[in-house]
Amino acid sequence: MGTMIDFNAAGQQFQAYRSEPSGPPRGAVLVIHEIWGLVPHIRDVADRFAAAGYLAVAPDLMGLAGLDAVLMAELGAQRADPAAQSEIQPKIRAAMAPLNSPEKAAFIRAGVAAVFEQLQSSPEGAGRTAVVGYCFGGTYAFALAVEEPRLAAAIPFYGHADYSVTELSAITCPVLAFYGADDSALVDALPELATHMKEAGVDFRHTVFNGAGHAFFNDGNPRMYRAQAAQSAWTATLDFLEQQLS
């Protein structure tokens, strides 16, 4: 089990869940949650990274995003019920409205950067800090890769990456991305992203899992979770981290 630690970014306080390995750390992993916040599933993911030998820190970015953490967690839990979809979707869109603010996006990036800075400055993560993000977190994992040249590796799960070739050329670390074939919006945009990554000279590797959609890794959502795809992605993630952080 991990502990909660305090951070400050852009003049705002926030917390993060820190989970430590039992032996000498093999590196550090910044874990960025889905839009539902620092829910038990994400804390469990951080614990899995710690069990694999990595110091893992998962920030709670909901306050920086201007979102109601309790409400988002409740909506996320309700979203797992197929019968509730028509009722829950308008509530989700309304609750996520603050994300349309460029100011909130800047606060989120500042929070992610603060956690990265602490990890990068630590004995465990110096020169060997990676970022892993899911959905909302996948998008900000891409953002950190664009903005932070010291990042050792980026692993975005079904995140958006709306960047120009010039912006992507700032990425200095390898990127391993995962998608579900049924997540049409992201998968349809993937060929163009892969082309832009190649033109930018980025080591961009991606896997698309058939029979899976958005949030296929989230075992807290039985409706979306796909065990085989999730296990394959987890194995590939650990192999990638071993290659890049060793």
PDB file of all heavy atoms in Angstrom, residues 28-32 49 57 59 112 116 119 128-134 137-146 148 151-157 173-176 237 240-241 245:
ATOM      1  N   ALA A  28      11.512   5.159 -12.091  1.00  0.00           N
ATOM      2  CA  ALA A  28      10.300   5.782 -11.567  1.00  0.00           C
ATOM      3  C   ALA A  28       9.267   5.918 -12.671  1.00  0.00           C
ATOM      4  O   ALA A  28       9.605   6.129 -13.836  1.00  0.00           O
ATOM      5  CB  ALA A  28      10.621   7.147 -10.971  1.00  0.00           C
ATOM      6  N   VAL A  29       8.004   5.799 -12.274  1.00  0.00           N
ATOM      7  CA  VAL A  29       6.890   5.908 -13.224  1.00  0.00           C
ATOM      8  C   VAL A  29       5.879   6.916 -12.693  1.00  0.00           C
ATOM      9  O   VAL A  29       5.390   6.786 -11.569  1.00  0.00           O
ATOM     10  CB  VAL A  29       6.202   4.546 -13.443  1.00  0.00           C
ATOM     11  CG1 VAL A  29       5.064   4.691 -14.454  1.00  0.00           C
ATOM     12  CG2 VAL A  29       7.201   3.501 -13.928  1.00  0.00           C
ATOM     13  N   LEU A  30       5.582   7.913 -13.519  1.00  0.00           N
ATOM     14  CA  LEU A  30       4.531   8.882 -13.226  1.00  0.00           C
ATOM     15  C   LEU A  30       3.252   8.334 -13.862  1.00  0.00           C
ATOM     16  O   LEU A  30       3.184   8.169 -15.077  1.00  0.00           O
ATOM     17  CB  LEU A  30       4.918  10.241 -13.827  1.00  0.00           C
ATOM     18  CG  LEU A  30       4.186  11.502 -13.367  1.00  0.00           C
ATOM     19  CD1 LEU A  30       4.881  12.728 -13.962  1.00  0.00           C
ATOM     20  CD2 LEU A  30       2.724  11.517 -13.749  1.00  0.00           C
ATOM     21  N   VAL A  31       2.251   8.043 -13.047  1.00  0.00           N
ATOM     22  CA  VAL A  31       1.007   7.426 -13.509  1.00  0.00           C
ATOM     23  C   VAL A  31      -0.094   8.491 -13.538  1.00  0.00           C
ATOM     24  O   VAL A  31      -0.421   9.061 -12.497  1.00  0.00           O
ATOM     25  CB  VAL A  31       0.588   6.260 -12.589  1.00  0.00           C
ATOM     26  CG1 VAL A  31      -0.683   5.606 -13.115  1.00  0.00           C
ATOM     27  CG2 VAL A  31       1.715   5.241 -12.459  1.00  0.00           C
ATOM     28  N   ILE A  32      -0.660   8.764 -14.714  1.00  0.00           N
ATOM     29  CA  ILE A  32      -1.684   9.794 -14.841  1.00  0.00           C
ATOM     30  C   ILE A  32      -3.048   9.135 -15.047  1.00  0.00           C
ATOM     31  O   ILE A  32      -3.239   8.350 -15.974  1.00  0.00           O
ATOM     32  CB  ILE A  32      -1.385  10.766 -15.994  1.00  0.00           C
ATOM     33  CG1 ILE A  32       0.060  11.284 -15.899  1.00  0.00           C
ATOM     34  CG2 ILE A  32      -2.362  11.938 -15.949  1.00  0.00           C
ATOM     35  CD1 ILE A  32       0.436  12.232 -17.011  1.00  0.00           C
ATOM     36  N   PHE A  49       2.957  -1.249 -10.523  1.00  0.00           N
ATOM     37  CA  PHE A  49       4.284  -0.797 -10.959  1.00  0.00           C
ATOM     38  C   PHE A  49       5.302  -0.956  -9.832  1.00  0.00           C
ATOM     39  O   PHE A  49       6.444  -1.361 -10.064  1.00  0.00           O
ATOM     40  CB  PHE A  49       4.235   0.652 -11.435  1.00  0.00           C
ATOM     41  CG  PHE A  49       3.720   0.819 -12.838  1.00  0.00           C
ATOM     42  CD1 PHE A  49       2.536   1.494 -13.077  1.00  0.00           C
ATOM     43  CD2 PHE A  49       4.418   0.290 -13.915  1.00  0.00           C
ATOM     44  CE1 PHE A  49       2.056   1.647 -14.372  1.00  0.00           C
ATOM     45  CE2 PHE A  49       3.945   0.431 -15.215  1.00  0.00           C
ATOM     46  CZ  PHE A  49       2.767   1.112 -15.453  1.00  0.00           C
ATOM     47  N   VAL A  57       4.305   7.173  -8.786  1.00  0.00           N
ATOM     48  CA  VAL A  57       3.588   8.298  -8.199  1.00  0.00           C
ATOM     49  C   VAL A  57       2.439   8.667  -9.120  1.00  0.00           C
ATOM     50  O   VAL A  57       2.651   8.926 -10.313  1.00  0.00           O
ATOM     51  CB  VAL A  57       4.503   9.511  -7.973  1.00  0.00           C
ATOM     52  CG1 VAL A  57       3.699  10.698  -7.461  1.00  0.00           C
ATOM     53  CG2 VAL A  57       5.607   9.167  -6.978  1.00  0.00           C
ATOM     54  N   PRO A  59      -0.503  11.380  -9.438  1.00  0.00           N
ATOM     55  CA  PRO A  59      -1.089  12.613  -8.916  1.00  0.00           C
ATOM     56  C   PRO A  59      -2.601  12.657  -9.080  1.00  0.00           C
ATOM     57  O   PRO A  59      -3.160  12.098 -10.022  1.00  0.00           O
ATOM     58  CB  PRO A  59      -0.420  13.700  -9.761  1.00  0.00           C
ATOM     59  CG  PRO A  59      -0.095  13.012 -11.055  1.00  0.00           C
ATOM     60  CD  PRO A  59       0.249  11.596 -10.684  1.00  0.00           C
ATOM     61  N   VAL A 112       1.512  17.991 -13.610  1.00  0.00           N
ATOM     62  CA  VAL A 112       2.274  16.849 -14.129  1.00  0.00           C
ATOM     63  C   VAL A 112       3.764  17.165 -14.106  1.00  0.00           C
ATOM     64  O   VAL A 112       4.589  16.326 -13.706  1.00  0.00           O
ATOM     65  CB  VAL A 112       1.803  16.502 -15.558  1.00  0.00           C
ATOM     66  CG1 VAL A 112       2.726  15.465 -16.195  1.00  0.00           C
ATOM     67  CG2 VAL A 112       0.368  15.988 -15.541  1.00  0.00           C
ATOM     68  N   PHE A 116       6.833  15.189 -12.178  1.00  0.00           N
ATOM     69  CA  PHE A 116       7.992  14.718 -12.938  1.00  0.00           C
ATOM     70  C   PHE A 116       9.281  15.292 -12.343  1.00  0.00           C
ATOM     71  O   PHE A 116      10.272  14.568 -12.191  1.00  0.00           O
ATOM     72  CB  PHE A 116       7.894  15.107 -14.409  1.00  0.00           C
ATOM     73  CG  PHE A 116       9.160  14.810 -15.175  1.00  0.00           C
ATOM     74  CD1 PHE A 116       9.420  13.529 -15.635  1.00  0.00           C
ATOM     75  CD2 PHE A 116      10.121  15.795 -15.382  1.00  0.00           C
ATOM     76  CE1 PHE A 116      10.604  13.232 -16.299  1.00  0.00           C
ATOM     77  CE2 PHE A 116      11.304  15.510 -16.042  1.00  0.00           C
ATOM     78  CZ  PHE A 116      11.550  14.223 -16.501  1.00  0.00           C
ATOM     79  N   LEU A 119      10.344  13.432  -9.267  1.00  0.00           N
ATOM     80  CA  LEU A 119      10.862  12.105  -9.582  1.00  0.00           C
ATOM     81  C   LEU A 119      12.231  12.194 -10.257  1.00  0.00           C
ATOM     82  O   LEU A 119      13.157  11.454  -9.921  1.00  0.00           O
ATOM     83  CB  LEU A 119       9.875  11.357 -10.478  1.00  0.00           C
ATOM     84  CG  LEU A 119       8.569  10.917  -9.810  1.00  0.00           C
ATOM     85  CD1 LEU A 119       7.611  10.348 -10.845  1.00  0.00           C
ATOM     86  CD2 LEU A 119       8.843   9.898  -8.718  1.00  0.00           C
ATOM     87  N   ARG A 128      15.876   8.299 -15.314  1.00  0.00           N
ATOM     88  CA  ARG A 128      15.103   7.087 -15.630  1.00  0.00           C
ATOM     89  C   ARG A 128      13.670   7.189 -15.106  1.00  0.00           C
ATOM     90  O   ARG A 128      13.190   6.316 -14.389  1.00  0.00           O
ATOM     91  CB  ARG A 128      15.801   5.826 -15.110  1.00  0.00           C
ATOM     92  CG  ARG A 128      16.200   5.891 -13.636  1.00  0.00           C
ATOM     93  CD  ARG A 128      16.827   4.592 -13.172  1.00  0.00           C
ATOM     94  NE  ARG A 128      17.067   4.616 -11.732  1.00  0.00           N
ATOM     95  CZ  ARG A 128      17.294   3.519 -11.006  1.00  0.00           C
ATOM     96  NH1 ARG A 128      17.281   2.334 -11.582  1.00  0.00           N
ATOM     97  NH2 ARG A 128      17.507   3.614  -9.711  1.00  0.00           N
ATOM     98  N   THR A 129      13.010   8.279 -15.490  1.00  0.00           N
ATOM     99  CA  THR A 129      11.607   8.479 -15.142  1.00  0.00           C
ATOM    100  C   THR A 129      10.756   8.389 -16.401  1.00  0.00           C
ATOM    101  O   THR A 129      11.042   9.052 -17.402  1.00  0.00           O
ATOM    102  CB  THR A 129      11.384   9.846 -14.465  1.00  0.00           C
ATOM    103  OG1 THR A 129      12.042   9.851 -13.193  1.00  0.00           O
ATOM    104  CG2 THR A 129       9.896  10.110 -14.252  1.00  0.00           C
ATOM    105  N   ALA A 130       9.719   7.576 -16.336  1.00  0.00           N
ATOM    106  CA  ALA A 130       8.794   7.383 -17.450  1.00  0.00           C
ATOM    107  C   ALA A 130       7.415   7.885 -17.044  1.00  0.00           C
ATOM    108  O   ALA A 130       7.122   8.077 -15.854  1.00  0.00           O
ATOM    109  CB  ALA A 130       8.709   5.910 -17.833  1.00  0.00           C
ATOM    110  N   VAL A 131       6.551   8.100 -18.041  1.00  0.00           N
ATOM    111  CA  VAL A 131       5.168   8.469 -17.770  1.00  0.00           C
ATOM    112  C   VAL A 131       4.244   7.454 -18.425  1.00  0.00           C
ATOM    113  O   VAL A 131       4.495   6.997 -19.545  1.00  0.00           O
ATOM    114  CB  VAL A 131       4.843   9.896 -18.276  1.00  0.00           C
ATOM    115  CG1 VAL A 131       4.974  10.007 -19.789  1.00  0.00           C
ATOM    116  CG2 VAL A 131       3.449  10.326 -17.833  1.00  0.00           C
ATOM    117  N   VAL A 132       3.203   7.074 -17.692  1.00  0.00           N
ATOM    118  CA  VAL A 132       2.152   6.204 -18.207  1.00  0.00           C
ATOM    119  C   VAL A 132       0.824   6.889 -17.920  1.00  0.00           C
ATOM    120  O   VAL A 132       0.589   7.359 -16.803  1.00  0.00           O
ATOM    121  CB  VAL A 132       2.169   4.814 -17.530  1.00  0.00           C
ATOM    122  CG1 VAL A 132       1.046   3.948 -18.074  1.00  0.00           C
ATOM    123  CG2 VAL A 132       3.515   4.138 -17.728  1.00  0.00           C
ATOM    124  N   GLY A 133      -0.043   6.983 -18.931  1.00  0.00           N
ATOM    125  CA  GLY A 133      -1.322   7.652 -18.723  1.00  0.00           C
ATOM    126  C   GLY A 133      -2.454   6.948 -19.438  1.00  0.00           C
ATOM    127  O   GLY A 133      -2.234   6.282 -20.452  1.00  0.00           O
ATOM    128  N   TYR A 134      -3.651   7.118 -18.906  1.00  0.00           N
ATOM    129  CA  TYR A 134      -4.827   6.428 -19.419  1.00  0.00           C
ATOM    130  C   TYR A 134      -5.911   7.440 -19.797  1.00  0.00           C
ATOM    131  O   TYR A 134      -6.340   8.228 -18.947  1.00  0.00           O
ATOM    132  CB  TYR A 134      -5.353   5.446 -18.369  1.00  0.00           C
ATOM    133  CG  TYR A 134      -4.290   4.469 -17.915  1.00  0.00           C
ATOM    134  CD1 TYR A 134      -3.450   4.774 -16.849  1.00  0.00           C
ATOM    135  CD2 TYR A 134      -4.085   3.274 -18.605  1.00  0.00           C
ATOM    136  CE1 TYR A 134      -2.442   3.898 -16.457  1.00  0.00           C
ATOM    137  CE2 TYR A 134      -3.087   2.394 -18.215  1.00  0.00           C
ATOM    138  CZ  TYR A 134      -2.266   2.709 -17.148  1.00  0.00           C
ATOM    139  OH  TYR A 134      -1.258   1.850 -16.777  1.00  0.00           O
ATOM    140  N   GLY A 137      -5.288  10.828 -19.005  1.00  0.00           N
ATOM    141  CA  GLY A 137      -3.880  10.692 -18.650  1.00  0.00           C
ATOM    142  C   GLY A 137      -2.999  10.379 -19.842  1.00  0.00           C
ATOM    143  O   GLY A 137      -1.839  10.801 -19.899  1.00  0.00           O
ATOM    144  N   GLY A 138      -3.530   9.624 -20.809  1.00  0.00           N
ATOM    145  CA  GLY A 138      -2.771   9.339 -22.016  1.00  0.00           C
ATOM    146  C   GLY A 138      -2.500  10.601 -22.805  1.00  0.00           C
ATOM    147  O   GLY A 138      -1.406  10.799 -23.362  1.00  0.00           O
ATOM    148  N   THR A 139      -3.488  11.481 -22.843  1.00  0.00           N
ATOM    149  CA  THR A 139      -3.323  12.761 -23.530  1.00  0.00           C
ATOM    150  C   THR A 139      -2.232  13.589 -22.869  1.00  0.00           C
ATOM    151  O   THR A 139      -1.374  14.176 -23.549  1.00  0.00           O
ATOM    152  CB  THR A 139      -4.652  13.536 -23.522  1.00  0.00           C
ATOM    153  OG1 THR A 139      -5.627  12.782 -24.251  1.00  0.00           O
ATOM    154  CG2 THR A 139      -4.504  14.907 -24.155  1.00  0.00           C
ATOM    155  N   TYR A 140      -2.218  13.605 -21.540  1.00  0.00           N
ATOM    156  CA  TYR A 140      -1.183  14.377 -20.846  1.00  0.00           C
ATOM    157  C   TYR A 140       0.157  13.649 -20.805  1.00  0.00           C
ATOM    158  O   TYR A 140       1.196  14.292 -20.584  1.00  0.00           O
ATOM    159  CB  TYR A 140      -1.673  14.784 -19.460  1.00  0.00           C
ATOM    160  CG  TYR A 140      -2.621  15.964 -19.568  1.00  0.00           C
ATOM    161  CD1 TYR A 140      -4.002  15.777 -19.606  1.00  0.00           C
ATOM    162  CD2 TYR A 140      -2.129  17.252 -19.714  1.00  0.00           C
ATOM    163  CE1 TYR A 140      -4.864  16.855 -19.758  1.00  0.00           C
ATOM    164  CE2 TYR A 140      -2.980  18.327 -19.878  1.00  0.00           C
ATOM    165  CZ  TYR A 140      -4.352  18.128 -19.905  1.00  0.00           C
ATOM    166  OH  TYR A 140      -5.201  19.199 -20.082  1.00  0.00           O
ATOM    167  N   ALA A 141       0.172  12.353 -21.041  1.00  0.00           N
ATOM    168  CA  ALA A 141       1.445  11.655 -21.219  1.00  0.00           C
ATOM    169  C   ALA A 141       2.093  12.102 -22.526  1.00  0.00           C
ATOM    170  O   ALA A 141       3.310  12.352 -22.590  1.00  0.00           O
ATOM    171  CB  ALA A 141       1.228  10.144 -21.222  1.00  0.00           C
ATOM    172  N   PHE A 142       1.297  12.215 -23.589  1.00  0.00           N
ATOM    173  CA  PHE A 142       1.809  12.777 -24.838  1.00  0.00           C
ATOM    174  C   PHE A 142       2.318  14.202 -24.604  1.00  0.00           C
ATOM    175  O   PHE A 142       3.381  14.585 -25.108  1.00  0.00           O
ATOM    176  CB  PHE A 142       0.715  12.803 -25.905  1.00  0.00           C
ATOM    177  CG  PHE A 142       0.565  11.540 -26.706  1.00  0.00           C
ATOM    178  CD1 PHE A 142      -0.634  10.849 -26.718  1.00  0.00           C
ATOM    179  CD2 PHE A 142       1.610  11.053 -27.481  1.00  0.00           C
ATOM    180  CE1 PHE A 142      -0.789   9.689 -27.473  1.00  0.00           C
ATOM    181  CE2 PHE A 142       1.471   9.902 -28.240  1.00  0.00           C
ATOM    182  CZ  PHE A 142       0.269   9.217 -28.241  1.00  0.00           C
ATOM    183  N   ALA A 143       1.546  15.001 -23.862  1.00  0.00           N
ATOM    184  CA  ALA A 143       1.929  16.393 -23.621  1.00  0.00           C
ATOM    185  C   ALA A 143       3.266  16.484 -22.890  1.00  0.00           C
ATOM    186  O   ALA A 143       4.120  17.318 -23.237  1.00  0.00           O
ATOM    187  CB  ALA A 143       0.841  17.102 -22.819  1.00  0.00           C
ATOM    188  N   LEU A 144       3.471  15.634 -21.884  1.00  0.00           N
ATOM    189  CA  LEU A 144       4.735  15.657 -21.157  1.00  0.00           C
ATOM    190  C   LEU A 144       5.893  15.261 -22.067  1.00  0.00           C
ATOM    191  O   LEU A 144       6.987  15.839 -21.985  1.00  0.00           O
ATOM    192  CB  LEU A 144       4.668  14.733 -19.944  1.00  0.00           C
ATOM    193  CG  LEU A 144       5.904  14.767 -19.029  1.00  0.00           C
ATOM    194  CD1 LEU A 144       6.088  16.149 -18.412  1.00  0.00           C
ATOM    195  CD2 LEU A 144       5.806  13.705 -17.939  1.00  0.00           C
ATOM    196  N   ALA A 145       5.665  14.293 -22.950  1.00  0.00           N
ATOM    197  CA  ALA A 145       6.710  13.886 -23.886  1.00  0.00           C
ATOM    198  C   ALA A 145       7.111  15.047 -24.793  1.00  0.00           C
ATOM    199  O   ALA A 145       8.296  15.221 -25.106  1.00  0.00           O
ATOM    200  CB  ALA A 145       6.234  12.700 -24.720  1.00  0.00           C
ATOM    201  N   VAL A 146       6.137  15.844 -25.213  1.00  0.00           N
ATOM    202  CA  VAL A 146       6.417  17.000 -26.069  1.00  0.00           C
ATOM    203  C   VAL A 146       7.179  18.073 -25.299  1.00  0.00           C
ATOM    204  O   VAL A 146       8.081  18.725 -25.842  1.00  0.00           O
ATOM    205  CB  VAL A 146       5.105  17.571 -26.642  1.00  0.00           C
ATOM    206  CG1 VAL A 146       5.333  18.931 -27.302  1.00  0.00           C
ATOM    207  CG2 VAL A 146       4.496  16.606 -27.645  1.00  0.00           C
ATOM    208  N   GLU A 148       8.909  17.807 -22.188  1.00  0.00           N
ATOM    209  CA  GLU A 148       9.988  17.478 -21.245  1.00  0.00           C
ATOM    210  C   GLU A 148      11.075  16.618 -21.918  1.00  0.00           C
ATOM    211  O   GLU A 148      10.905  15.406 -22.070  1.00  0.00           O
ATOM    212  CB  GLU A 148       9.403  16.752 -20.041  1.00  0.00           C
ATOM    213  CG  GLU A 148      10.416  16.371 -18.982  1.00  0.00           C
ATOM    214  CD  GLU A 148      11.353  17.507 -18.620  1.00  0.00           C
ATOM    215  OE1 GLU A 148      10.909  18.448 -17.935  1.00  0.00           O
ATOM    216  OE2 GLU A 148      12.526  17.439 -19.021  1.00  0.00           O
ATOM    217  N   LEU A 151      12.477  13.281 -20.166  1.00  0.00           N
ATOM    218  CA  LEU A 151      11.636  12.099 -19.990  1.00  0.00           C
ATOM    219  C   LEU A 151      12.285  10.892 -20.670  1.00  0.00           C
ATOM    220  O   LEU A 151      12.730  10.973 -21.815  1.00  0.00           O
ATOM    221  CB  LEU A 151      10.260  12.367 -20.593  1.00  0.00           C
ATOM    222  CG  LEU A 151       9.175  11.311 -20.367  1.00  0.00           C
ATOM    223  CD1 LEU A 151       8.825  11.196 -18.887  1.00  0.00           C
ATOM    224  CD2 LEU A 151       7.927  11.660 -21.180  1.00  0.00           C
ATOM    225  N   ALA A 152      12.330   9.766 -19.963  1.00  0.00           N
ATOM    226  CA  ALA A 152      13.005   8.581 -20.493  1.00  0.00           C
ATOM    227  C   ALA A 152      12.104   7.718 -21.368  1.00  0.00           C
ATOM    228  O   ALA A 152      12.593   7.001 -22.251  1.00  0.00           O
ATOM    229  CB  ALA A 152      13.558   7.736 -19.340  1.00  0.00           C
ATOM    230  N   ALA A 153      10.796   7.751 -21.139  1.00  0.00           N
ATOM    231  CA  ALA A 153       9.861   6.937 -21.918  1.00  0.00           C
ATOM    232  C   ALA A 153       8.445   7.423 -21.665  1.00  0.00           C
ATOM    233  O   ALA A 153       8.136   7.910 -20.574  1.00  0.00           O
ATOM    234  CB  ALA A 153       9.984   5.454 -21.542  1.00  0.00           C
ATOM    235  N   ALA A 154       7.590   7.280 -22.672  1.00  0.00           N
ATOM    236  CA  ALA A 154       6.180   7.654 -22.535  1.00  0.00           C
ATOM    237  C   ALA A 154       5.308   6.508 -23.017  1.00  0.00           C
ATOM    238  O   ALA A 154       5.557   5.938 -24.082  1.00  0.00           O
ATOM    239  CB  ALA A 154       5.881   8.921 -23.337  1.00  0.00           C
ATOM    240  N   ILE A 155       4.275   6.200 -22.216  1.00  0.00           N
ATOM    241  CA  ILE A 155       3.381   5.090 -22.547  1.00  0.00           C
ATOM    242  C   ILE A 155       1.943   5.585 -22.414  1.00  0.00           C
ATOM    243  O   ILE A 155       1.313   5.456 -21.362  1.00  0.00           O
ATOM    244  CB  ILE A 155       3.626   3.871 -21.639  1.00  0.00           C
ATOM    245  CG1 ILE A 155       5.109   3.512 -21.609  1.00  0.00           C
ATOM    246  CG2 ILE A 155       2.800   2.683 -22.112  1.00  0.00           C
ATOM    247  CD1 ILE A 155       5.470   2.415 -20.633  1.00  0.00           C
ATOM    248  N   PRO A 156       1.393   6.177 -23.467  1.00  0.00           N
ATOM    249  CA  PRO A 156       0.003   6.640 -23.429  1.00  0.00           C
ATOM    250  C   PRO A 156      -0.969   5.536 -23.846  1.00  0.00           C
ATOM    251  O   PRO A 156      -0.803   4.910 -24.889  1.00  0.00           O
ATOM    252  CB  PRO A 156      -0.014   7.800 -24.424  1.00  0.00           C
ATOM    253  CG  PRO A 156       1.113   7.523 -25.362  1.00  0.00           C
ATOM    254  CD  PRO A 156       2.099   6.651 -24.654  1.00  0.00           C
ATOM    255  N   PHE A 157      -1.968   5.299 -23.012  1.00  0.00           N
ATOM    256  CA  PHE A 157      -3.063   4.406 -23.356  1.00  0.00           C
ATOM    257  C   PHE A 157      -4.217   5.264 -23.869  1.00  0.00           C
ATOM    258  O   PHE A 157      -4.709   6.140 -23.156  1.00  0.00           O
ATOM    259  CB  PHE A 157      -3.537   3.628 -22.129  1.00  0.00           C
ATOM    260  CG  PHE A 157      -2.700   2.438 -21.756  1.00  0.00           C
ATOM    261  CD1 PHE A 157      -1.418   2.597 -21.253  1.00  0.00           C
ATOM    262  CD2 PHE A 157      -3.206   1.146 -21.884  1.00  0.00           C
ATOM    263  CE1 PHE A 157      -0.657   1.503 -20.881  1.00  0.00           C
ATOM    264  CE2 PHE A 157      -2.455   0.043 -21.515  1.00  0.00           C
ATOM    265  CZ  PHE A 157      -1.171   0.215 -21.020  1.00  0.00           C
ATOM    266  N   CYS A 173      12.187  11.024 -26.266  1.00  0.00           N
ATOM    267  CA  CYS A 173      12.114   9.666 -25.726  1.00  0.00           C
ATOM    268  C   CYS A 173      11.272   8.776 -26.637  1.00  0.00           C
ATOM    269  O   CYS A 173      10.462   9.260 -27.417  1.00  0.00           O
ATOM    270  CB  CYS A 173      11.499   9.692 -24.329  1.00  0.00           C
ATOM    271  SG  CYS A 173       9.742  10.124 -24.285  1.00  0.00           S
ATOM    272  N   PRO A 174      11.453   7.464 -26.549  1.00  0.00           N
ATOM    273  CA  PRO A 174      10.574   6.556 -27.283  1.00  0.00           C
ATOM    274  C   PRO A 174       9.165   6.573 -26.692  1.00  0.00           C
ATOM    275  O   PRO A 174       8.984   6.788 -25.490  1.00  0.00           O
ATOM    276  CB  PRO A 174      11.233   5.190 -27.113  1.00  0.00           C
ATOM    277  CG  PRO A 174      12.055   5.312 -25.889  1.00  0.00           C
ATOM    278  CD  PRO A 174      12.494   6.738 -25.798  1.00  0.00           C
ATOM    279  N   VAL A 175       8.177   6.354 -27.554  1.00  0.00           N
ATOM    280  CA  VAL A 175       6.775   6.377 -27.150  1.00  0.00           C
ATOM    281  C   VAL A 175       6.134   5.049 -27.522  1.00  0.00           C
ATOM    282  O   VAL A 175       6.237   4.608 -28.667  1.00  0.00           O
ATOM    283  CB  VAL A 175       6.016   7.535 -27.835  1.00  0.00           C
ATOM    284  CG1 VAL A 175       4.542   7.527 -27.427  1.00  0.00           C
ATOM    285  CG2 VAL A 175       6.661   8.875 -27.515  1.00  0.00           C
ATOM    286  N   LEU A 176       5.473   4.425 -26.570  1.00  0.00           N
ATOM    287  CA  LEU A 176       4.739   3.181 -26.793  1.00  0.00           C
ATOM    288  C   LEU A 176       3.271   3.461 -26.508  1.00  0.00           C
ATOM    289  O   LEU A 176       2.903   3.766 -25.372  1.00  0.00           O
ATOM    290  CB  LEU A 176       5.257   2.081 -25.871  1.00  0.00           C
ATOM    291  CG  LEU A 176       4.532   0.737 -25.937  1.00  0.00           C
ATOM    292  CD1 LEU A 176       4.726   0.081 -27.302  1.00  0.00           C
ATOM    293  CD2 LEU A 176       5.016  -0.187 -24.827  1.00  0.00           C
ATOM    294  N   THR A 237       4.244  -3.166 -21.631  1.00  0.00           N
ATOM    295  CA  THR A 237       4.646  -1.991 -20.860  1.00  0.00           C
ATOM    296  C   THR A 237       5.863  -2.290 -19.995  1.00  0.00           C
ATOM    297  O   THR A 237       6.835  -1.522 -19.976  1.00  0.00           O
ATOM    298  CB  THR A 237       3.481  -1.509 -19.977  1.00  0.00           C
ATOM    299  OG1 THR A 237       2.423  -1.021 -20.817  1.00  0.00           O
ATOM    300  CG2 THR A 237       3.913  -0.415 -19.021  1.00  0.00           C
ATOM    301  N   PHE A 240       8.945  -2.720 -22.110  1.00  0.00           N
ATOM    302  CA  PHE A 240       9.401  -1.416 -22.605  1.00  0.00           C
ATOM    303  C   PHE A 240      10.125  -0.636 -21.518  1.00  0.00           C
ATOM    304  O   PHE A 240      11.190  -0.039 -21.758  1.00  0.00           O
ATOM    305  CB  PHE A 240       8.163  -0.653 -23.100  1.00  0.00           C
ATOM    306  CG  PHE A 240       8.460   0.653 -23.785  1.00  0.00           C
ATOM    307  CD1 PHE A 240       9.118   0.696 -25.005  1.00  0.00           C
ATOM    308  CD2 PHE A 240       8.040   1.853 -23.220  1.00  0.00           C
ATOM    309  CE1 PHE A 240       9.372   1.901 -25.644  1.00  0.00           C
ATOM    310  CE2 PHE A 240       8.269   3.059 -23.865  1.00  0.00           C
ATOM    311  CZ  PHE A 240       8.948   3.086 -25.075  1.00  0.00           C
ATOM    312  N   LEU A 241       9.568  -0.629 -20.306  1.00  0.00           N
ATOM    313  CA  LEU A 241      10.217   0.070 -19.211  1.00  0.00           C
ATOM    314  C   LEU A 241      11.575  -0.542 -18.892  1.00  0.00           C
ATOM    315  O   LEU A 241      12.538   0.184 -18.622  1.00  0.00           O
ATOM    316  CB  LEU A 241       9.330   0.024 -17.963  1.00  0.00           C
ATOM    317  CG  LEU A 241       8.066   0.880 -17.993  1.00  0.00           C
ATOM    318  CD1 LEU A 241       7.230   0.638 -16.745  1.00  0.00           C
ATOM    319  CD2 LEU A 241       8.389   2.356 -18.137  1.00  0.00           C
ATOM    320  N   LEU A 245      14.570   2.052 -19.126  1.00  0.00           N
ATOM    321  CA  LEU A 245      15.008   2.588 -17.840  1.00  0.00           C
ATOM    322  C   LEU A 245      16.168   1.832 -17.236  1.00  0.00           C
ATOM    323  O   LEU A 245      16.725   2.282 -16.228  1.00  0.00           O
ATOM    324  CB  LEU A 245      13.839   2.591 -16.847  1.00  0.00           C
ATOM    325  CG  LEU A 245      12.568   3.348 -17.263  1.00  0.00           C
ATOM    326  CD1 LEU A 245      11.614   3.438 -16.089  1.00  0.00           C
ATOM    327  CD2 LEU A 245      12.883   4.728 -17.789  1.00  0.00           C
TER     328      LEU A 245
END
